[in-house]
Amino acid sequence: MNNIKRMVKKSGTSFFWSMRFLPFGKRNAMYTIYAFCRHIDDIVDGDKDVSEKLDLMEAWRQEINNIYDKKIPATEIGRKIYKNCMRFKLPKEEFVRIINSISMDLPTPMQAPSMERFNEYCRGVAGVPGNLSLRIFGVTDEALIEKLSTTLGNALQITNILRDVKEDAQIGRLYIPKEMLEEAGITSTDPLTVIVNPNLARAREQLAKIAAEDYENSYQLIKQLDKKIARPILMMANIYKRYFDIMQNRGWEVISPKPHLSKMKKLSLALRAFFYR
């Protein structure tokens, strides 16, 4: 488990700050979920041939089947999922959903998806970790789990998309929905063409409005949680909201450099949530 913990810490992920204050069993489960999501993401982002990537994603679908069929998992992360996570009664369909959603960048990178496909993507890549995390934290209200994981996941993923628009374009990806590009007067869906279009700021601003509303709704939903359960969720929300606020305050026409938070600033935001009453 120490290897996974080191990987999470070394990655610099904001999730580390919300995980580190959890009790041992829940912390190990969260480290494992992060390692799984990171591994799946790395497969798609890696240098392997597309056919090999597709085979690996299919192998992971089978690995999830093995875990839930109580067969011996074939991978170290699979064994950690079985050991550290199954006690929390995590739904199989959520693991399958994140594999399918991350696979939406295969065989070709996503470029200007429809709004429907965009929402499906966000629910998978960001909503699933939230859904699983809420269960590990101890939330049992299914309606609240679905609503909060979808709403906050959407806000966090949009923040990532707005923050990484330049870097994504350089590897052939463009996650801003086609409808928003067209509304801003952008007809091209070529990522490198779009990021130099002066109207990109308008499209980013429209996407930011959705994120702002989702953050607001998420904070209201978090108030329905037990205070102790709410703390790690608030830690994550506060850190990402700070990234979002930096971009909003400097203007959506600015796409680089990416907003940066020091470790001390992240710790400060995390502690503010830790003392939430």
Side-chain angles (χ1 to χ4, degrees):
M1 196 65 211
N2 286 335
N3 289 336
I4 289 179
K5 179 180 177 180
R6 282 195 294 271
M7 183 189 79
V8 174
K9 186 174 182 179
K10 186 178 179 181
S11 71
T13 175
S14 299
F15 284 94
F16 177 73
W17 300 97
S18 61
M19 295 178 202
R20 66 183 304 179
F21 296 103
L22 292 170
F24 180 78
K26 293 183 178 183
R27 187 167 68 247
N28 279 352
M30 287 297 299
Y31 285 153
T32 302
I33 293 298
Y34 175 81
F36 165 74
C37 295
R38 179 65 182 268
H39 176 71
I40 296 298
D41 201 43
D42 285 347
I43 290 173
V44 176
D45 290 345
D47 298 327
K48 293 181 173 63
D49 292 337
V50 170
S51 60
E52 188 174 356
K53 292 180 180 181
L54 290 168
D55 288 343
L56 287 169
M57 299 302 270
E58 186 57 37
W60 262 105
R61 292 184 183 92
Q62 183 56 52
E63 181 76 322
I64 296 301
N65 286 337
N66 288 340
I67 292 168
Y68 280 85
D69 290 342
K70 298 185 178 179
K71 297 178 182 177
I72 298 175
T75 64
E76 179 185 357
I77 292 177
R79 290 188 287 273
K80 293 295 185 184
I81 291 173
Y82 188 85
K83 177 182 177 182
N84 296 320
C85 302
M86 289 302 97
R87 75 186 73 172
F88 297 104
K89 297 180 170 43
L90 305 180
K92 175 182 176 180
E93 57 267 24
E94 291 297 311
F95 285 98
V96 174
R97 175 177 268 174
I98 194 168
I99 294 171
N100 291 342
S101 297
I102 292 177
S103 296
M104 290 168 76
D105 273 312
L106 294 173
T108 57
M110 192 182 299
Q111 294 182 354
S114 67
M115 198 69 205
E116 180 180 0
R117 186 168 173 81
F118 174 83
N119 288 331
E120 179 186 354
Y121 174 77
C122 290
R123 174 58 180 84
V125 300
V128 166
N131 187 294
L132 299 178
S133 299
L134 288 169
R135 296 173 191 278
I136 292 169
F137 295 155
V139 182
T140 58
D141 184 325
E142 288 290 335
L144 182 56
I145 289 172
E146 178 61 27
K147 193 167 185 180
L148 179 54
S149 63
T150 299
T151 304
L152 183 56
N154 207 44
L156 302 188
Q157 190 59 27
I158 290 175
T159 300
N160 280 336
I161 289 168
L162 293 169
R163 183 184 62 186
D164 298 337
V165 63
K166 181 178 179 180
E167 288 75 9
D168 285 336
Q170 290 169 341
I171 57 174
R173 296 177 180 175
L174 177 63
Y175 294 106
I176 299 175
K178 185 177 182 180
E179 293 91 332
M180 291 186 178
L181 294 175
E182 291 177 344
E183 188 176 342
I186 302 173
T187 56
S188 174
T189 59
D190 173 66
L192 292 177
T193 300
V194 170
I195 64 167
V196 296
N197 190 303
N199 291 334
L200 176 61
R202 289 170 53 193
R204 294 181 77 217
E205 185 176 7
Q206 285 300 109
L207 192 55
K209 287 179 181 178
I210 295 177
E213 184 176 349
D214 282 332
Y215 275 118
E216 183 177 348
N217 291 336
S218 295
Y219 281 118
Q220 292 303 315
L221 290 168
I222 289 170
K223 291 179 181 178
Q224 298 180 33
L225 300 174
D226 175 87
K227 303 296 185 185
K228 189 173 182 180
I229 291 175
R231 287 169 186 160
I233 303 165
L234 270 175
M235 290 179 193
M236 179 57 53
N238 288 348
I239 290 171
Y240 269 78
K241 183 60 163 55
R242 182 58 184 146
Y243 282 126
F244 179 84
D245 288 342
I246 291 171
M247 291 187 288
Q248 178 130 286
N249 290 337
R250 73 185 186 184
W252 294 112
E253 69 279 3
V254 181
I255 64 172
S256 65
K258 297 197 298 185
H260 173 74
L261 294 178
S262 67
K263 288 184 179 180
M264 286 304 299
K265 183 60 178 178
K266 289 180 181 179
L267 180 58
S268 172
L269 290 167
L271 288 173
R272 187 182 304 171
F274 185 78
F275 292 108
Y276 170 68
R277 292 291 184 269

